[in-house]
Amino acid sequence: MYELELIIAISAVFVIWYFVGSYSNRRLLSLVWKSALEQMEEYTPTITRREYGGSAFVAVADKPNDPFKRIEIAFTCLPREILINHLVSIAMGRKDLLTISADFLREPKRELGSRNFPDLIESVLKMRINNKRPNLKLIFSADQVLRGSIKRALDAIKVACSSGLC
């Protein structure tokens, strides 16, 4: 008899968690989008966004400013809607990630990584500049985006480009 109540209780927890997780992802998606827009306004007048459910979006800069020819942004949230998947993701050390892929107007003269920008070590999870497309790849956690790291990274890259990188 107690097994039935246990199954109903566990099912209720999963159903309630689905709505809590879905709300959390939509809220985070909105916060990250607003923050990314504010930080990118110096580099592009408009950005076109396409949402994928409540857990991801892809955005493309319509007319990026110098030194960029193309900028694409992708953001994915952890799978908070499904409790077990969320717990496994946390246990594996996964994070909500925003990726910026961009091409410069002129090809970079050399390859660089995050170690070449020591002041950005805390602001960027991963950074790569090379001659292959995309020329620039930046990866941020959602926390870094909300702290203004996109603007810091793009400003540093713009300075490097004006100093002869590209």
Side-chain angles (χ1 to χ4, degrees), residues 58-94:
V58 173
V60 177
D62 295 328
K63 295 176 184 172
N65 300 332
D66 193 33
F68 301 105
K69 178 170 46 176
R70 182 189 68 82
I71 302 174
E72 185 176 302
I73 304 167
F75 179 70
T76 56
C77 293
L78 290 175
R80 287 180 178 81
E81 296 93 344
I82 302 169
L83 179 58
I84 294 171
N85 287 359
H86 183 61
L87 295 174
V88 169
S89 294
I90 290 172
M92 293 175 69
R94 292 186 178 163

Side-chain angles (χ1 to χ4, degrees), residues 82-119:
I82 302 169
L83 179 58
I84 294 171
N85 287 359
H86 183 61
L87 295 174
V88 169
S89 294
I90 290 172
M92 293 175 69
R94 292 186 178 163
K95 299 179 181 188
D96 303 299
L97 296 177
L98 182 127
T99 303
I100 296 179
S101 301
D103 289 323
F104 297 114
L105 289 171
R106 292 164 298 283
E107 293 294 320
K109 294 179 179 154
R110 62 185 187 272
E111 293 188 13
L112 298 174
S114 51
R115 67 181 178 279
N116 299 100
F117 296 87
D119 52 329

